[in-house]
C-alpha cells in the first residue's frame, strides 16, 4: 500500500501473466483469462456513481496497467517485511526475470479483511453483512474488507430506490473478482472453473463446500447465470460472522441480540432465491 500524489491510500494487486514459470504451483494466467477480472473490476467500480444501482461497496479501480520486468526492489522489500511479520506460503517474487509481464491493478484501500478485523460487537458485524450484495463466486472472508466509518448510514440505490442502513461504525468493500461472472457489452465475462479440479477437492472449511455447491447449481457450466450462488456465499458469510470473526465486547446486550438476529437469518437465508430477493427484505425493513 502507498499514497498517491493526491494523498490517497492505494493498494497494488500485481498479477504475473503469460510466463512459463509456475507461481505458487500454478500456471500463470493468459491475457484473455485476466481480462474478465479487469472488466468486472472496472464496471463495479463505476457503480459508486450509477443513477439506478449505486453502491460504494466494491473496490475502487484507480488504474490498470500492463508492465514488464523484474520485481522492483522496493516491492520485494515490502514483500519480505510482510513475510517476516505475518508469514506466507507464496513464492518469493525474485523468481521473476526481466521478460516477465504483469497486470497491475491500482485499487482503493478498503480496510482489513473480515478474518482480521476486530469488531466491537456483533451489531457491527450484522451491519457489515447486510451491506453485501453481488454474485462474486469467491466471496470468502479474505475478499471482504472492513473499515471504520463516521457515516451514520450506508446508502444504496437499488432499481432507482434509495436504501439506507445503519452503519454502526463500519463500511464494507468487496475485492478480487477473478472468479466472478458478469455480462458486459453483450458478452459474458467469466472464469471457466470446470478445468480447476483442485478448487473442488479441498476440505476443512465451509468455504470449500460452497465451491462444490456452486458447481452443482450450474452443472459445471460456468457461463450460466445462477443467482442462488449469491445466497450460498451470503450463508457462508453469516456463518463466519457468528462463529469466526473476533469481537471485543461479547458480554453486551447489543452483541447478544445481534448474534440472535444473525442466527435467525442464517436459518432463513437459504429460502431466498437470489440476493435481489434478500434486498427486497432490506427495503421493507
Amino acid at each position: 500500500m502507498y499514497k498517491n500524489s493526491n494523498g490517497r491510500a492505494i493498494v497494488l494487486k500485481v498479477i504475473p501473466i503469460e510466463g512459463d514459470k509456475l507461481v505458487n504451483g500454478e500456471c500463470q494466467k493468459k491475457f484473455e483469462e485476466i481480462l474478465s477480472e479487469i472488466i468486472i473490476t472496472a464496471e463495479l467500480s463505476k457503480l459508486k456513481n450509477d443513477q439506478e444501482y449505486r453502491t460504494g461497496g466494491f473496490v475502487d479501480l484507480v488504474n490498470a496497467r500492463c508492465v514488464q520486468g523484474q520485481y522492483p526492489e522496493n516491492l520485494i522489500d515490502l514483500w519480505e517485511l510482510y513475510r517476516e511479520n505475518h508469514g506466507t506460503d507464496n513464492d518469493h517474487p525474485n523468481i521473476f526475470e526481466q521478460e516477465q509481464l504483469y497486470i497491475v491493478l491500482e485499487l482503493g484501500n478498503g480496510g482489513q479483511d473480515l478474518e482480521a478485523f476486530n469488531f466491537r460487537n456483533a451489531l457491527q458485524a450484522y451491519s457489515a453483512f447486510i451491506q453485501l450484495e453481488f454474485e462474486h463466486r469467491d466471496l470468502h472472508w479474505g475478499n471482504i474488507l472492513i473499515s471504520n466509518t463516521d457515516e451514520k448510514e450506508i446508502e444504496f440505490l437499488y432499481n432507482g430506490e434509495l436504501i439506507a442502513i445503519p452503519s454502526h461504525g463500519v463500511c464494507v468493500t468487496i475485492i478480487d473478482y477473478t472468479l466472478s461472472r458478469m455480462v458486459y457489452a453483450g458478452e459474458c465475462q467469466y472464469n471457466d472453473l470446470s478445468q480447476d479440479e483442485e478448487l473442488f477437492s479441498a476440505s476443512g472449511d465451509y468455504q470449500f463446500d460452497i465451491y462444490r455447491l456452486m458447481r452443482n447449481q450450474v452443472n459445471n457450466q460456468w457461463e450460466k447465470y445462477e443467482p442462488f450462488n449469491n445466497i450460498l456465499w451470503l450463508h457462508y458469510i453469516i456463518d463466519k460472522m457468528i462463529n469466526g470473526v473476533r469481537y471485543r465486547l461479547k458480554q453486551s446486550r447489543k452483541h447478544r441480540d445481534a448474534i440472535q438476529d444473525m442466527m435467525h437469518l442464517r436459518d432463513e437465508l437459504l429460502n431466498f432465491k437470489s440476493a435481489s430477493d434478500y434486498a427486497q427484505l432490506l427495503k421493507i425493513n
Side-chain angles (χ1 to χ4, degrees), residues 154-211:
I154 305 295
E155 293 186 348
F156 307 89
L157 273 182
Y158 180 78
N159 198 24
E161 186 173 348
L162 182 66
I163 299 175
I165 60 174
S167 73
H168 296 289
V170 292
C171 183
V172 171
T173 301
I174 297 173
I175 63 170
D176 195 349
Y177 313 121
T178 305
L179 306 188
S180 300
R181 177 201 181 277
M182 186 181 77
V183 174
Y184 172 73
E187 296 289 334
C188 183
Q189 305 292 334
Y190 72 102
N191 194 314
D192 186 3
L193 303 180
S194 64
Q195 307 302 314
D196 190 357
E197 283 300 320
E198 187 175 345
L199 182 67
F200 305 103
S201 62
S203 60
D205 190 272
Y206 189 26
Q207 171 187 345
F208 307 121
D209 296 328
I210 299 297
Y211 297 129

Side-chain angles (χ1 to χ4, degrees), residues 15-260:
I15 309 166
I17 62 169
E18 293 287 342
D20 297 327
K21 193 180 296 292
L22 293 179
V23 181
N24 302 325
E26 298 183 358
C27 295
Q28 296 182 33
K29 292 185 179 296
K30 302 297 184 182
F31 272 117
E32 59 269 21
E33 293 177 299
I34 205 67
L35 181 61
S36 63
E37 179 176 0
I38 298 171
I39 291 174
I40 291 172
T41 304
E43 290 304 301
L44 293 177
S45 178
K46 294 177 184 177
L47 287 179
K48 63 181 179 294
N49 296 315
D50 194 81
Q51 297 303 306
E52 188 172 8
Y53 294 94
R54 187 178 70 232
T55 175
F58 298 109
V59 68
D60 190 20
L61 178 63
V62 179
N63 215 328
R65 306 174 188 271
C66 181
V67 300
Q68 184 177 34
Q70 291 180 309
Y71 231 71
E73 286 296 327
N74 59 334
L75 292 186
I76 287 180
D77 290 342
L78 291 172
W79 187 92
E80 291 178 343
L81 180 63
Y82 180 90
R83 181 182 60 181
E84 291 174 9
N85 292 332
H86 304 284
T88 180
D89 294 325
N90 293 332
D91 291 336
H92 196 291
N94 63 8
I95 65 173
F96 300 118
E97 300 176 354
Q98 190 62 37
E99 64 273 13
Q100 178 67 51
L101 293 172
Y102 313 85
I103 295 295
V104 180
L105 302 181
E106 298 179 44
L107 306 168
N109 178 29
Q112 287 183 292
D113 64 66
L114 179 61
E115 183 177 5
F117 191 83
N118 194 354
F119 288 98
R120 184 171 63 247
N121 54 40
L123 191 60
Q124 276 195 328
Y126 190 49
S127 173
F129 174 79
I130 61 177
Q131 293 176 42
L132 299 172
E133 183 192 338
F134 173 55
E135 184 186 357
H136 187 283
R137 291 186 169 178
D138 197 22
L139 201 56
H140 58 77
W141 62 350
N143 284 335
I144 301 169
L145 303 184
I146 311 293
S147 60
N148 294 307
T149 180
D150 293 328
E151 298 293 331
K152 299 300 182 183
E153 293 184 326
I154 305 295
E155 293 186 348
F156 307 89
L157 273 182
Y158 180 78
N159 198 24
E161 186 173 348
L162 182 66
I163 299 175
I165 60 174
S167 73
H168 296 289
V170 292
C171 183
V172 171
T173 301
I174 297 173
I175 63 170
D176 195 349
Y177 313 121
T178 305
L179 306 188
S180 300
R181 177 201 181 277
M182 186 181 77
V183 174
Y184 172 73
E187 296 289 334
C188 183
Q189 305 292 334
Y190 72 102
N191 194 314
D192 186 3
L193 303 180
S194 64
Q195 307 302 314
D196 190 357
E197 283 300 320
E198 187 175 345
L199 182 67
F200 305 103
S201 62
S203 60
D205 190 272
Y206 189 26
Q207 171 187 345
F208 307 121
D209 296 328
I210 299 297
Y211 297 129
R212 290 185 283 271
L213 291 169
M214 283 199 305
R215 181 173 60 178
N216 293 340
Q217 289 293 320
V218 300
N219 296 317
N220 214 23
Q221 299 174 15
W222 293 94
E223 73 278 9
K224 178 182 177 183
Y225 175 56
E226 178 46 72
F228 188 70
N229 287 338
N230 293 333
I231 294 297
L232 292 174
W233 281 109
L234 291 177
H235 194 259
Y236 157 88
I237 293 163
I238 199 72
D239 186 72
K240 288 295 185 187
M241 295 290 196
I242 297 168
N243 297 309
V245 303
R246 295 179 292 180
Y247 298 109
R248 298 196 303 273
L249 304 176
K250 294 183 179 181
Q251 305 306 317
S252 69
R253 177 66 180 270
K254 287 182 179 180
H255 175 82
R256 295 195 302 270
D257 288 348
I259 287 289
Q260 290 299 316

